Amino acid sequence: MTTPLFAILREEILATGPIPLARYMDLCLGHPVHGYYRTRDPLGASGDFTTAPEISQMFGELIGIWIAATWGAMGAPADLVLVELGPGRGTLMADALRALARAAPTLRPALHLVETSPVLRAAQAERLSGFAPTWHEGLATLPPGPALVVANEFFDALPVRQFQRTERGWHERCVGLSPEGDRLAFGLSAEPDPRIDAHAPVGVTLTLPGAALDIVRTLARRLARDRGALLAIDYGHARPGFGDSLQAVAQHRFVDPLAAPGEADLTTHVDFSALARAASAEGARVHGPIDQRDFLQALGLRERAEHLSTKATPQQAVRIAAAVARLTDPTRRGMGSLFKVMAVSDPALPALPGFPA
Ligand code: SAH
C-alpha cells in the first residue's frame, strides 16, 4: 500500500540517502500532517490496539489509589502537579481522579497532560473537562513543584536507534528504497559508528532508546530536585538492550513495519534497565521494574474486583473476572508479566505503594 507519507519518505531518501530508523519512526508516528498519532484515535476495538485502562476501570482506579498513597508519603504537599504523558482517550486519568477524590478528598492537583495528538486531545478534553487540564507538547513547559507523573504505554511509542554488529563494527539500521524504488527496505549505514562501544557477536542488534532516555533524565533531575515520582507502565524487559523488538500493529494484527508508513502503530519493547540507569545517574531513586500483575495485586486488584462484583449483574461479574485475567495473566494472552511497572522518585521516598519495600 502506498500512503501519503511514503511519497514524502521517498523524496527524503532520494535526496539524502537511507534515513536512520529513529528518523523513520519519528516521521511515521509524529509527522505534523500524516503521522500515525496526529491523524486518528488508535485505541479500542474499532482501532488498532487496546490498552489496560480501556480494558477495565479498575486499572485507572488503582493508579488513583497509588497517587493518593504516594502523595501522602510525600507529606501531602498542597501544590501537587499531576502529569500524564500520552493520556490516550483520558480514560486512565478520569478513573484515577474519581478514585483519588475518595482516597484523598483534600487533594486538588493541578492537572497537566503531555499530548501531541489533536484527535486525542479532543477526547481528553471531553473526559476531563471538570478538572481544567492544561496541555503540553513536551516536558519543557510543565510548571515546577512537587509532581506525580503517570505514563502508560507511552515510552514504547518513542523513536529508537538500532545498530547491527558486522565484522567491521556497529552499523546503524536505516530505511532506504528497494532497487526498483517503489518500496521501503531496511539496510545498514555504509560505515560503522565508532561511538558505539558494546561487545556482541556478528549479527546481533542493539536498540538504543534515545528519546525515552532524554525524557527520563529530564524527569529524574526534576523529581530529585522538586520532589515526586514517575510511574511508568509498559511492555518491556528488565534486561539490557540487545535484540530487536520493533513491531507494527494495525487493526489488532502485526504488520510489516515498512508496508504502510503512517498507517500502523510502531513500537519497541521498553528497555527498563537503560531507563533505570539513566534515572539513577541523575540522582533519583528507582523502584522495580516489577511485573504488572504483582503491582496491581499489591494495590488491591482482587479486593477491588470482589467489591465491584458484589454490586454487579452476573454478566458484569463475568466481564470483571475476564478483565482481571487479562490484566494479570502471565501467559502470552495476558498482560501480567509482559507488562512491567517501574517508578522513579526523589531519593527521600524510600518505598512506594505497589512495590516491594
Ligand atoms: N496512555 C494511553 C494511550 C497510550 S498510546 C492508554 O494507556 O490508553 C500512546 C499515547 O502517547 C497517545 O496518547 C499518543 O498520542 C501519545 N504520544 C505518542 N507520542 C508522543 C509524543 N512524542 N509526545 C507526547 N505524546 C505522545
Side-chain angles (χ1 to χ4, degrees):
M1 177 171 45
T2 158
T3 62
L5 197 55
F6 174 74
I8 293 168
L9 287 159
R10 186 167 183 275
E11 202 99 320
E12 180 164 332
I13 294 166
L14 287 173
T16 67
I19 57 174
L21 175 66
R23 170 79 181 151
Y24 177 71
M25 290 183 78
D26 206 20
L27 287 170
C28 284
L29 297 171
H31 183 279
V33 181
H34 304 297
Y36 178 77
Y37 282 111
R38 301 283 170 146
T39 51
R40 73 200 68 214
D41 174 354
L43 293 156
S46 59
D48 291 321
F49 59 92
T50 299
T51 57
E54 302 297 332
I55 290 171
S56 170
Q57 67 181 71
M58 292 183 287
F59 187 81
E61 289 168 352
L62 292 173
I63 304 249
I65 287 165
W66 183 88
I67 292 169
T70 307
W71 176 67
M74 288 165 68
D79 53 345
L80 181 76
V81 179
L82 180 57
V83 182
E84 186 171 1
L85 309 178
R89 290 178 174 168
T91 308
L92 186 161
M93 193 47 82
D95 294 336
L97 288 167
R98 202 177 50 247
L100 189 58
R102 280 196 302 268
T106 58
L107 172 57
R108 295 272 178 283
L111 184 58
H112 292 268
L113 307 175
V114 177
E115 175 61 69
T116 45
S117 162
V119 182
L120 292 174
R121 277 189 183 199
Q124 293 154 20
E126 203 167 301
R127 274 287 167 78
L128 299 167
S129 58
F131 301 95
T134 307
W135 280 271
H136 303 263
E137 284 287 314
L139 302 182
T141 50
L142 289 173
L148 290 176
V149 183
V150 176
N152 187 61
E153 289 211 45
F154 170 74
F155 287 105
D156 67 72
L158 300 177
V160 298
R161 298 177 77 188
Q162 286 189 331
F163 294 85
Q164 197 173 318
R165 181 87 175 117
T166 74
E167 307 282 349
R168 295 175 53 224
W170 290 98
H171 294 253
E172 184 150 20
R173 196 173 186 205
C174 293
V175 175
L177 293 170
S178 64
E180 305 75 31
D182 60 344
R183 285 184 299 111
L184 297 172
F186 281 120
L188 295 177
S189 64
E191 292 306 318
D193 189 328
R195 287 164 303 181
I196 306 295
D197 175 30
H199 298 281
V202 166
V204 163
T205 299
L206 178 67
T207 299
L208 300 183
L213 284 179
D214 289 345
I215 290 175
V216 166
R217 280 196 193 103
T218 303
L219 284 175
R221 219 174 298 136
R222 177 220 163 103
L223 294 168
R225 188 192 57 223
D226 283 6
R227 301 191 295 133
L230 158 70
L231 184 70
I233 306 166
D234 229 306
Y235 56 108
H237 47 78
R239 292 166 288 106
F242 293 114
D244 169 25
S245 63
L246 178 68
Q247 64 187 36
V249 165
Q251 282 137 32
H252 301 267
R253 292 213 163 79
F254 291 113
V255 296
D256 173 356
L258 300 184
E263 304 280 319
D265 187 32
L266 293 179
T267 60
T268 54
H269 288 203
V270 172
D271 182 349
F272 281 106
S273 65
L275 302 189
R277 252 178 289 127
S280 302
E282 298 296 336
R285 188 186 294 271
V286 175
H287 312 255
I290 60 174
D291 289 349
Q292 172 169 301
R293 172 192 41 197
D294 298 335
F295 179 74
L296 295 178
Q297 280 172 355
L299 289 177
L301 176 65
R302 196 166 300 138
E303 294 77 1
R304 183 91 203 107
E306 272 162 20
H307 176 74
L308 284 177
S309 298
T310 55
K311 298 184 298 187
T313 64
Q315 253 173 347
Q316 287 169 329
V318 168
R319 269 205 297 277
I320 292 166
V324 169
R326 188 129 177 239
L327 294 173
T328 59
D329 188 342
T331 67
R332 278 182 66 83
R333 292 182 47 234
M335 309 176 98
S337 67
L338 181 58
F339 276 72
K340 308 278 177 214
V341 186
M342 188 175 97
V344 169
S345 76
D346 69 79
L349 287 175
L352 288 181
F355 293 90

